[in-house]
Amino acid sequence: MATCNPLPEGKTVFLAIYAAVVAGIIFSTLVILSSVYTYSPAAGAGDGGDGKPLHGTSLFSSSSPPSTSSPPPSPSPIVTRTPKLQREPSDMFTRAIWDVPVDRKMPHLKSFLLTKEMVKHRAKDNIIIVTFGNHAFLDFILNWVKHLTELNIFNILVGAMDTKLLEALYWKGIPVFDMGSKMVPVDVGWGSAKFHKMGREKVLLINALLPFGYELLMCDTDMVWLKNPLPYFARFPEADMLTSSDQIRPTTTDDSLEVWQNVTTAYNIGIFHWRPTDAAKRLAKEWKDILLSDDQKWDQAGFNDLVHQVLGPSLEGESGLFYAYDGTLKLGLLPASIFCSGHTYFIQAMPQQLKLEPYAVHTTFQFAGSDGKRHRLREAMLFYDQPAYYDTPGGFLSFKPGIPASLLLDGPHTLQSHFSLVNYQLRQIRTALAVASLLNRTLVMPRLWCRFERMWFGHRGILEGTLTKQPFVCPMDHLFEIHTMLHSLSEEEFGPQIHFREYSFLQNPSVPKQVKESSLNVQLCDAHSKGCNISNETTSGGFIQFPRNSTEQMYMQVFSQHKNIKVLHFSSIANAFQGFSDEAREAKFRNRVKRYVGMWCCVENRDPGHIYYDMYWDEKPGWKPEPPRTTQDDHPPWD
């Protein structure tokens, strides 16, 4: 029987060394493996990154993206994550939306080229949702993505038309691809040559995406999603395309597709859903060819020309679909009552009137360009702004507008009654602007009421066949030139800029608690009445009395003691201020606010038929809302 003999001394030493080496290798391997794991909410590549967005993530933190040669900014301190041991995805398109990159270097631009593999990573149920733009629309794009992710929709891609936007979106955790457009990163303005270039890029993008075989929901950035639309589109599996329209008169009162025979307006390409069918691909290609052959052709006009070549008949059944384009394309028109335009949502309030739940709103039918679009969304509390927007230095000033019921309700709705109502409000706003300027506060605009709506063509006050009620709460861009108020006037000539906020501002959940709870009510009183005196002390109810027709010195004396109060709320603003003591400042203020107001348009069958609003209408005895008699005397009141 063999016995176990001890090893020679040399072999013992060798085995000890060998064991130490093996142990070192195992330990090093564990360290290396652990380094590729991270505490992150990102979804793995297998589920397409469809993780729920992080509550508390700031959309606007680190708003200046790093250059390709610079490291990214540190994550915002208000970003909260639930620790979860998970492998960092190797591909940036498999990360969860809003999950910022952990690497410190911008990937090469070639990594952002649009590919089928990229779409595959982001698509869900064979559907991809796409928007695009340049850096001027960064806030619109972030807003668009935020609304979708709040609806738990993550099959999203954003096309960047310039490198500045691409980098900004990448560092914010937005799945972005390079369109190769080399677009300027500024707002190009509707109708310009660069605007038409953006339209052509959109059509090129559709032609690039459809061959990948995925359903495509293409959206403009100036719209927001209020409800998941994908189940709605799934109700019409036969459709090659579903598109929105500029229809403002309801053709149906439920959530059916529009009765296409009754739609008399353009089909709007701000929201449309494509299926990768042969008919859709043929349309996309011919649309592209038309636009590339004429750089002045508007993309929407080209689309309408093509699809209107053949209209009808309807498909069998009651789907609401019909044949269009070449007689083979199966098309459906999304109801404007729930896939809303700027008119059906902001003016008519069509969803509420028909007791329907809207899916989307597109900021069409508005004025003041992109500034007007932002403001309309802000009024509806549908726009996510930077935190500083909700808590600005200097604080805010608001007031309760007093409008007699007779101005709102009495008599017929005429041009005269409309201007009487508007002018009554303008006089109060003029005073509020002066007080806000004096106290260096941001004015919270009041809710505005109109009897007539603004349009860019002659009409009778309210567009016929619509559901617009009179009077109605009118968007600020109906009366004011918002873009002028924000950008256009020099302080040297017109005095200091007067900042403002939308009427719904103080009801917005984004306004911090410390702002809402820091308020002082200012009750105007007659200087000669009992108990009306200037006091620096607030009462137990959080209000003070303040004399009407006070001077600049009286304002500074009292309200300099309340600089730390976030919101001054005046119970009334009528006759609250005598005016600036310095004549030069008063003149600059008058010149500024005269340019703040816009014009009403338009009297039918009159050229010119529009009438300008006037901040100082009350200083012109006998003034009446009449259009100019000739083109020669058509000018703003401040000229």
Side-chain angles (χ1 to χ4, degrees), residues 206-250:
I206 292 170
N207 276 270
L209 286 164
L210 285 179
F212 294 162
Y214 295 91
E215 294 184 29
L216 170 65
L217 176 53
M218 177 65 73
C219 318
D220 286 353
T221 60
D222 62 339
M223 58 82 57
V224 296
W225 290 104
L226 309 176
K227 183 180 177 181
N228 185 352
L230 302 182
Y232 186 90
F233 300 145
R235 288 168 47 183
F236 307 97
E238 294 181 272
D240 296 304
M241 180 186 298
L242 299 167
T243 185
S244 58
S245 74
D246 290 333
Q247 183 69 14
I248 57 175
R249 301 171 182 86

Side-chain angles (χ1 to χ4, degrees), residues 237-287:
E238 294 181 272
D240 296 304
M241 180 186 298
L242 299 167
T243 185
S244 58
S245 74
D246 290 333
Q247 183 69 14
I248 57 175
R249 301 171 182 86
T251 67
T252 180
T253 57
D254 55 21
D255 66 350
S256 305
L257 294 176
E258 297 281 10
V259 179
W260 65 270
Q261 296 93 333
N262 297 336
V263 173
T264 57
T265 57
Y267 302 164
N268 190 292
I269 59 174
I271 306 172
F272 56 169
H273 175 265
W274 297 67
R275 288 193 172 91
T277 62
D278 290 340
K281 291 175 184 177
R282 285 197 305 275
L283 171 62
K285 183 182 184 304
E286 188 170 355
W287 187 17

